Amino acid sequence: MAAPSSEVERQRDKERTRAEILAVATREFADKGYAGARVDEIAARTSTTKRMIYYYFGGKEQLYVAALERAYATIRALERDLDVDHLEPEEAIRRLAELTFDHHEANPDFIRLVSIENIHHGEHIAHSEALSGMANPALDVLTRILDRGREAGRFRDDVDALDIHMVISSFCVFRLANRHTFSAIFGRDMLDPKRRAHYRLMLGDLVIEYLTA
């Protein structure tokens, strides 16, 4: 039997409220870090209360972990759903690299959250059961690309999916996380729109050149 309309609406309101809290919490933690973020401030910027936030999430640490899970889930879903099995291995790798490039540029709070969690030595993310297996489907996509490239005799066989994931992530994270210090030292803004296409192409070229060396 279908749920009464009032029950369905309550569920929708709950989901909307939870999503709103997570969106605001993500910005608060990204801007101020785990220690500096305040649940009172998050409540003040949403249509809820501190008591309601604790009801939904349990506490500040649980809310922070939920924000991390939400941030990682977004990029992992994009990677998992990337349709590249019909492409040549080199083009498939380039598409995956470009997807990461585009996502990270469009979601700077993701980079800040990851940087903050590394400052804390990953102690909070280690408590998340959801995150422990979240990367596997995305690595499966990359593994299939690498396997096809090796079978065709075009990719080297001494690297695995995690190696390539690390190379792609390194470029994309550095470009965002070190934008201001890099600009201050070298006088170049890595997010200058005029250089965007150049860096996006560079990333794909670097990965493909390495794999085909």
Side-chain angles (χ1 to χ4, degrees), residues 36-47:
R38 295 287 178 266
V39 176
D40 286 329
E41 180 64 23
I42 295 170
R45 293 167 55 194
T46 61
S47 56

Side-chain angles (χ1 to χ4, degrees), residues 87-121:
L87 299 176
E88 292 295 315
E90 293 87 348
E91 183 60 25
I93 283 289
R94 188 180 293 279
R95 290 283 183 86
L96 181 60
E98 291 172 348
L99 181 147
T100 305
F101 184 97
D102 294 342
H103 169 271
H104 286 15
E105 181 179 81
N107 296 275
D109 283 350
F110 172 73
I111 306 301
R112 296 189 187 103
L113 280 177
V114 173
S115 299
I116 288 163
E117 182 58 9
N118 274 286
I119 290 173
H120 290 277
H121 306 289

Side-chain angles (χ1 to χ4, degrees), residues 13-69:
D13 287 342
K14 180 179 179 180
E15 292 170 358
R16 281 195 294 265
T17 300
R18 194 175 189 278
E20 181 187 6
I21 293 170
L22 279 175
V24 173
T26 296
R27 175 55 55 87
E28 181 76 3
F29 286 123
D31 285 347
K32 300 177 182 177
Y34 176 72
R38 295 287 178 266
V39 176
D40 286 329
E41 180 64 23
I42 295 170
R45 293 167 55 194
T46 61
S47 56
T48 186
T49 63
K50 182 176 180 179
R51 181 177 178 180
M52 187 60 72
I53 290 176
Y54 285 146
Y55 170 77
Y56 280 127
F57 296 97
K60 179 180 177 180
E61 181 175 5
Q62 293 93 324
L63 176 59
Y64 173 67
V65 171
L68 282 166
E69 290 173 346

Side-chain angles (χ1 to χ4, degrees), residues 126-197:
H127 298 161
S128 171
E129 294 182 4
L131 284 168
S132 62
M134 196 179 288
N136 293 337
L139 289 179
D140 289 344
V141 173
L142 188 46
T143 296
R144 290 200 305 271
I145 298 172
L146 294 177
D147 286 346
R148 289 197 291 118
R150 293 188 186 107
E151 289 170 5
R154 287 142 68 174
F155 283 176
R156 61 195 303 161
D157 59 7
D158 59 345
V159 295
D160 61 19
L162 199 55
D163 291 328
I164 301 305
H165 175 74
M166 180 176 65
V167 172
I168 293 172
S169 294
S170 297
F171 186 101
C172 296
V173 171
F174 183 93
R175 181 168 168 263
L176 272 293
N178 296 282
R179 174 189 185 184
H180 300 294
T181 52
F182 196 91
S183 178
I185 294 170
F186 298 107
R188 175 177 291 183
D189 181 2
M190 290 185 286
L191 266 64
D192 183 344
K194 295 191 296 294
R195 295 184 179 273
R196 184 180 190 277

